[in-house]
Amino acid sequence: MAEISNLNIIQVKNLSKHVAVNDNDLHILRDIGFAVKSGESIAIVGASGSGKSTLLSLLAGLDSPSKGEIYLDGEPIHQFNEEQRAQLRGKSVGFIFQAFMLVQSLTALENVMLPAELAGKDNAKQMAEELLERVGLGDRTAHFPNQLSGGEQQRVAIARAFITKPKILFADEPSANLDGKNGHMIEDLLFELNEQYGTTLVLVTHDDKLAGRCQRILRMCDGELTEAEQGKQSNVV
Amino acid sequence: MWFKLALRLFKRELGRGELTIIAIAITLAVLSVFSLSSVSSRIQDSILQKSASFIAADRVLQSANALADDYFADAPLDGLKQARQITFSSMVFYNDELQLAGVKAVTESNPLRGQLVLSDTSFGKQTRLKGAPPRGEVWVSRRVIDVLDIAVGNELEVGAAKFKVSGVLIEEPDSGFNPFNQNPRVMMNYADVPMTEVIQPGSRITYRYLFAGEEEKVKALTDWVEPQLLDNQRWYGVKDRQSPVTSALERAESFLLLAGLLGVILAAVAIAVAAQRYCQRHYDPVAIFKTLGASSKQVRQIYVTHLIFLTLMSVVAGLIIGYAIQSVVFEMIKEFLPKPLPELGAKPFVMAIVTGVSCSMMFSLYPLLQLFNIPPLRVLRRNEGDKVKNNWGYLIASGLTVFLLMWGYSQSLKISAILFAVGATMIVILLLLSRLFVNAGRAIGVRPSNPFHLAMASIKRRVRANSVQLITFTIAIHLLLSLSILKNDIIGEWQNQLPKGAPNHFLANVTKAELTEVNQLLKQQNIHTEGLFPIVRGRLVNVDEERLIQFVSKEKEDKSDAGGRQGIGRELNMTWRSDLPLGNEIIEGQWLKPDSLGEVSVEAKVAERMKIKLGSELTFLIGAQEYKAKVTSLRTVDWNTMQPNFFMIFSDDVLADFPATYITSFHVSDKQKQPLNKFLRDYPTIMVIEVGAIIGQIQSTIDQVSIAIEFVLLIVVIAGVLVLTAQVQASIEERQQEIVILRTLGAKGSLIKNAVMLEFLMIGVIAGVMATIATEILLAVLQTQMFSMDMAIHWDIWWMGPVIGGVFVASIGLLSTMKLLTRNTSEMLRSVNM
Ligand SMILES: Nc1ncnc2c1ncn2[C@@H]1O[C@H](COP(=O)(O)OP(=O)(O)O)[C@@H](O)[C@H]1O
Ligand SMILES: [Mg+2]
């Protein structure tokens, strides 16, 4: 069981995002504020189009906010440029996407190695092999993404997300593209590894059942975020 | 670390065939530039060398007087080969027979270009050589042997000296081509001229100083000679001569140049298309790299490495294949080329490498910059970065690259500028037109079950991509059409000029009394002629009461000799005739009528030079009498026909009373030669000039030029096909996502297939139509401006363009779609990463 410290690994203040669409300002996120403790797992739920992915992209430093402050692992990423954000992402953040986002021309093994290689780690290959073994694809290391099923691809993506031992893992609808059985398998795997590595998890989903496996649930509605009922944590503690 | 990753990715992409098209494009650019420039430059070299043999030199200084011994004392003669010739007409004697001969005295180095063909008897074994007869000996043409009934070994009198006949001169490269005054040849050693004592003050002698060597050195000498030329001197090269070969050469050169340029442009387009496609395919990987923490520097390093590897690999492959191609081609055409074979040289290598590297760098620069700018957000918002922005800087840079390549390739700022301007204008017009076409489709509503509507909807959705695609198709089809038409026109016109039955004999010096017999012989032997032209010699002295003498001499009219047929000022060959001769065309006024009196028809260029207008009154001095005639028409004359041509053609009344000789030309087959020679034996004063050798030379030149042209065309066609394929493939990929959606929504394969095929068919046909229009316009400009040919509408391409465009584009499109459709939907879904 991951230990939750009192340290806020994510801290968001007055966060807004709006974009110009056909000369109109589209307000996607309005004045959002919340904090996530280190080791905590939170779910962001909400209807499609409510702004969940947008929030995730800002938290993970994939995009920059229109207004407000975001502190990730103590760093003011709202003041960072793309270069600094990339560095932070490589060091502290892992990702899992609905569309898997594997590099098609790299094998499963190479895909898993990728973040470690980009970060200049020496033992990338060994770590990647271990992780692939861990997600049950030890015998598929040399396969390319298009030779793997959707569920298998997502398992590769999970292995890739953990190779840098990130402090925070962002997952955007990780099982939405998969059928029920595969989806559940992925979810199980995700939570298992998360626990094992003691990672902070931010999970975006529209699936309330999945959200229920997290310790906290935040609900996104028309660009505004509200703290929902307590999740798993309340049952355990 | 990044290098290992870059290398691994590169190998993978290569293995997966992702880089194939772009690699082929660069390879093709390199190999086409290499083989084009090596083959065409070597052929050009050898054509020039070969045609230089028509004057036996690269440049000739011709003078009516001997030059002072120290004339060339401070001339830049280093590295140039030299020879001298003296030509004059003289009676030659053997036993009691005499004959007017064209005597040519030459130094041992003659001819500098080309070779003499010599034989020991009239029909004996022939040897090719350079050189002069030994002192005291002469070589004579067959005609001398026939007329004088002399044999090798006998002694021939020339002027005051006797010479031993030691060979029969079958062919000399610079025999010239002037049917009006060609006497049988007697060739002697330069040093023997004084012995003959024929050179007296006032005798008509032509001195020629021949030079050959590297172009730069020849140029230096030209710069030295030209300022000091006197009125009775002339400095000329092959290209200054008005001959059928010259114009054939010029056209061939222009064509090769043009084709080379177009090859470069096509290659550039292919690279641009392929690079764009490759980069687009890497938008996702780059977004992933960045998301996973890659810095922009790492991303740049990875893809710049790819580019360098790819360029290196393709350039090497291009050079190897190009070298192989040019060796094969060269092996094939070797027999046409003069010995020694021209060296390959470094230029093709340099040009090919520079072209390959600059094309691959310049035309992938913008796609790469876009690739580097792909935001990591793309992993979440899947369309992020898709929108291509206009970048004028890039447009200007790639335009400039194309222009510099053209310039470097053609070495002509003017031609590059013209072609570039025409091309740029055309692209702008095409862009507007394609917008128009695409927008026209807007009006039509969409019913998704109808493949036509689906196709239209698809075209509309990608207005921008489609207009780029349309332009690419149009340009490729256009260039292919233009080049193949131009090729056919050029080669066809040559063949028209020198058809199988082109005249190979001239008969001159026929008297009025002999006319009946000659006509009878021609009829008997079934020999076709354009009729016998009477010739009267005279001078033009007045134009509208203005004495001509001064400005005639000022215009250096002695050019007539070297030019062959331009004689005005000294003596003119004039004729009268009631029907317009073949190859003549009236451009002003009216052709002579049977009852015309005191009228003359003047060749247009002469008229322009002498300021002769329609209605001018010309005064001619014929013998001792002056005659006046009024100009009633101006004619253009096709000097390339093997026909007697005239500057002045009179109405019947003017010259009819003067004693005239007659001239004609005709084709004689080998079978007819015997009776003709037998006939001529009875009329020794009739002169026969065989031009078969000259025609043979012209024809072999044309043959080799045709091969060069076909070869160049083939390469350009391959380049064009590659551009089309690359573009279709790129656009198939653009549509992959759409096909997947349609498929997922349950659209039948056949519906999608039909829609895609229809879409490509429409784009192909429209591109074909636009290409056809562009081709007609371009051809009209080129033919009139560059190739001095007549403008013609090419009806063929009006169906060929659209059909080729439609069929080709649709079938490549269909093929690529089929491949997509045979994969199952979920597999596609995965690879599209929706
Ligand atoms: N850059 C953008 N430009 C235009 N619209 C955007 C942009 N980013 C997000 N949106 C819009 O904002 C809304 C929220 O998007 P998103 O965060 O993806 O929602 P969710 O993930 O909850 O389904 C959507 O309507 C989306 O189209
Ligand atoms: Mg979303």
Side-chain angles (χ1 to χ4, degrees), chain A residues 53 56-57 62-63 82-83 86 89-90 95 97 99 101-107 110 113-115 117-118 120-122 144-146 148-150 153 160 172 177, chain B residues 1-2 4-5 8-9 12-13 16 282 284-285 287-298 302 375-382 823 827 830-831 833-834:
Chain A
S53 295
L56 182 110
S57 71
L62 290 171
D63 199 3
E82 167 54 26
E83 224 39 39
R89 283 195 303 265
F95 290 95
F97 302 104
M101 300 312 292
L102 299 179
V103 178
Q104 297 293 313
S105 50
L106 296 179
T107 61
E110 289 160 353
M113 285 161 66
L114 191 58
E117 276 191 302
L118 287 170
K121 298 232 167 74
D122 290 332
F144 288 97
N146 65 358
L148 298 172
S149 75
Q153 288 190 60
R160 178 179 69 183
D172 189 8
N177 267 3
Chain B
M1 237 10 177
W2 64 266
K4 245 167 69 188
L5 181 61
R8 183 190 304 145
L9 264 174
R12 269 315 138 50
E13 299 291 339
R16 281 158 47 101
H282 280 258
D284 278 348
I288 297 172
F289 294 153
K290 286 189 170 176
T291 299
L292 299 181
S295 65
S296 349
K297 190 169 153 217
Q298 281 174 314
I302 289 174
L377 190 56
R378 187 180 166 87
V379 293
L380 282 171
R381 294 188 51 79
R382 305 293 297 113
R823 283 156 68 181
E827 194 186 336
R830 258 179 271 149
S831 69
N833 259 337
M834 290 185 34

Side-chain angles (χ1 to χ4, degrees), chain B residues 782-804:
Chain B
L782 285 181
Q783 285 179 322
T784 52
Q785 303 303 312
M786 205 164 159
F787 294 99
S788 54
M789 297 163 82
D790 289 334
M791 197 187 120
I793 296 273
H794 304 82
W795 298 111
D796 278 359
I797 62 172
W798 286 93
W799 66 264
M800 267 164 61
V803 167
I804 291 176

Side-chain angles (χ1 to χ4, degrees), chain A residues 38-202:
Chain A
S38 185
E40 206 176 7
S41 64
I42 68 159
I44 299 172
V45 295
S48 177
S50 56
K52 306 183 295 292
S53 295
T54 307
L55 177 59
L56 182 110
S57 71
L58 293 174
L59 298 181
L62 290 171
D63 199 3
S64 49
S66 309
K67 224 177 75 198
E69 296 166 17
I70 306 171
Y71 296 88
L72 202 69
D73 197 17
E75 309 267 11
I77 63 168
H78 54 283
Q79 292 171 357
F80 279 17
N81 61 21
E82 167 54 26
E83 224 39 39
Q84 293 166 308
R85 287 193 307 238
Q87 209 181 354
L88 184 73
R89 283 195 303 265
K91 196 177 77 186
S92 317
V93 180
F95 290 95
I96 296 167
F97 302 104
Q98 178 179 357
F100 321 145
M101 300 312 292
L102 299 179
V103 178
Q104 297 293 313
S105 50
L106 296 179
T107 61
L109 182 70
E110 289 160 353
N111 263 291
V112 177
M113 285 161 66
L114 191 58
E117 276 191 302
L118 287 170
K121 298 232 167 74
D122 290 332
N123 55 344
K125 187 159 181 225
Q126 189 203 336
M127 290 195 304
E129 275 164 350
E130 282 168 20
L131 270 164
L132 277 175
E133 196 72 47
R134 175 72 187 75
V135 299
L137 292 173
D139 52 344
R140 309 291 298 270
T141 53
H143 285 72
F144 288 97
N146 65 358
Q147 296 166 322
L148 298 172
S149 75
E152 289 162 341
Q153 288 190 60
Q154 194 63 305
R155 279 190 274 162
V156 173
I158 290 173
R160 178 179 69 183
F162 283 99
I163 193 164
T164 51
K165 303 199 174 70
K167 292 196 178 126
I168 315 159
L169 181 67
F170 291 98
D172 189 8
E173 316 249 15
S175 52
N177 267 3
L178 303 170
D179 57 52
K181 188 166 148 256
N182 271 307
H184 290 315
M185 188 171 161
I186 289 300
E187 289 158 11
D188 292 345
L189 194 60
L190 179 61
F191 280 100
E192 273 169 35
L193 276 166
N194 190 48
E195 206 144 305
Q196 180 184 335
Y197 282 80
T199 315
T200 309
L201 174 68
V202 177

Side-chain angles (χ1 to χ4, degrees), chain B residues 175-191:
Chain B
S175 59
F177 180 64
N178 187 349
F180 295 113
N181 49 20
Q182 186 146 1
N183 295 320
R185 172 69 76 221
V186 170
M187 184 178 274
M188 64 168 63
N189 195 295
Y190 195 79

